[in-house]
């Protein structure tokens, strides 16, 4: 992860200050219900076919949406980390970002109504090769967590509005 030029250029920030509505966008995702128990999701770069995790009866041959959620967290945290490092002049020579989460599938499969559906705990870990000091690492941590969209969405929660059409 070499340092590169500023990711968010000042004119863009100025635009958002001067025209606040121009900073509001709607991101979209779409999937097609597939054969068996699957859903084909267009990622913008490739089609990903998601299916059941083996712990819920899946074959393991299709992407698991739980894994995709963790992958989105890793991707967002990694990009945010690099942008923050560039902004606060921290040199990251290389690094690895990992996320892992604990699920109890008794909730997902309806075996126990007392077990919640979803991740019980998610752990996000950064291994960095950097010459940054403790204070710089603390600032990097604080700002990465503050500005990572997926991290903030998971930690603060968000209202999800659902509509069905037939």
């Amino acid at each position: 992860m070499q340092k590169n030029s500023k990711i968010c250029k000042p004119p863009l920030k100025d635009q958002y200050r001067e025209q606040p509505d121009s900073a509001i966008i709607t991101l979209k995702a779409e999937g097609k219900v597939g054969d068996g128990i699957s859903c084909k999701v267009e990622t913008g770069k490739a089609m990903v076919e998601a299916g059941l995790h083996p712990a819920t009866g899946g074959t393991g041959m299709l992407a698991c949406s739980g894994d995709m959620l963790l992958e989105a967290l890793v991707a967002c945290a990694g990009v945010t980390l690099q942008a923050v490092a560039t902004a606060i002049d921290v040199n990251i020579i290389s690094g690895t970002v990992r996320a892992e989460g604990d699920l109890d599938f008794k909730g997902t499969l309806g075996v126990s109504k007392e077990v919640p559906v979803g991740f019980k705990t998610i752990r996000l870990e950064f291994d960095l090769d950097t010459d940054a000091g403790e204070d710089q690492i603390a600032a990097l941590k604080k700002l990465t967590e503050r500005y990572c969209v997926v991290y903030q969405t998971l930690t603060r929660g968000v209202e999800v509005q659902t509509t069905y059409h037939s």
Side-chain angles (χ1 to χ4, degrees):
M1 287 185 268
Q2 296 295 332
K3 285 181 73 168
N4 27 359
S5 62
K6 298 275 186 208
I7 303 299
C8 192
K9 304 203 182 316
L12 192 55
K13 288 184 177 184
D14 291 343
Q15 175 189 328
Y16 293 161
R17 284 186 195 100
E18 294 165 13
Q19 302 166 3
D21 288 347
S22 71
I24 301 168
I25 64 167
T26 300
L27 299 178
K28 299 177 182 181
E30 184 173 312
K32 299 259 186 230
V33 176
D35 295 330
I37 301 176
S38 70
C39 183
K40 294 180 181 175
V41 180
E42 176 64 49
T43 68
K45 301 293 179 195
M47 185 70 75
V48 175
E49 190 168 8
L52 293 174
H53 187 279
T56 61
T59 64
M61 299 302 293
L62 302 177
C64 166
S65 54
D67 289 334
M68 292 169 70
L69 177 72
L70 295 177
E71 291 161 358
L73 175 59
V74 165
C76 189
V79 169
T80 304
L81 172 87
Q82 289 181 289
V84 167
T86 299
I88 65 173
D89 204 27
V90 169
N91 183 31
I92 297 176
I93 299 157
S94 66
T96 303
V97 182
R98 277 186 297 284
E100 58 184 30
D102 303 321
L103 288 162
D104 185 338
F105 285 108
K106 291 188 300 292
T108 302
L109 292 177
V111 172
S112 171
K113 290 185 180 185
E114 288 75 42
V115 175
V117 175
F119 285 99
K120 202 165 80 169
T121 306
I122 294 176
R123 291 172 296 283
L124 183 60
E125 183 177 336
F126 298 82
D127 289 324
L128 303 176
D129 181 2
T130 178
D131 52 9
E134 255 182 63
D135 289 346
Q136 288 176 304
I137 296 294
L140 195 59
K141 176 187 186 311
K142 177 183 173 184
L143 295 171
T144 297
E145 291 173 5
R146 179 178 179 183
Y147 294 114
C148 176
V149 171
V150 176
Y151 179 91
Q152 284 296 319
T153 301
L154 289 170
T155 59
R156 70 176 165 78
V158 64
E159 176 186 353
V160 177
Q161 301 169 351
T162 306
T163 306
Y164 289 78
H165 303 279
S166 59

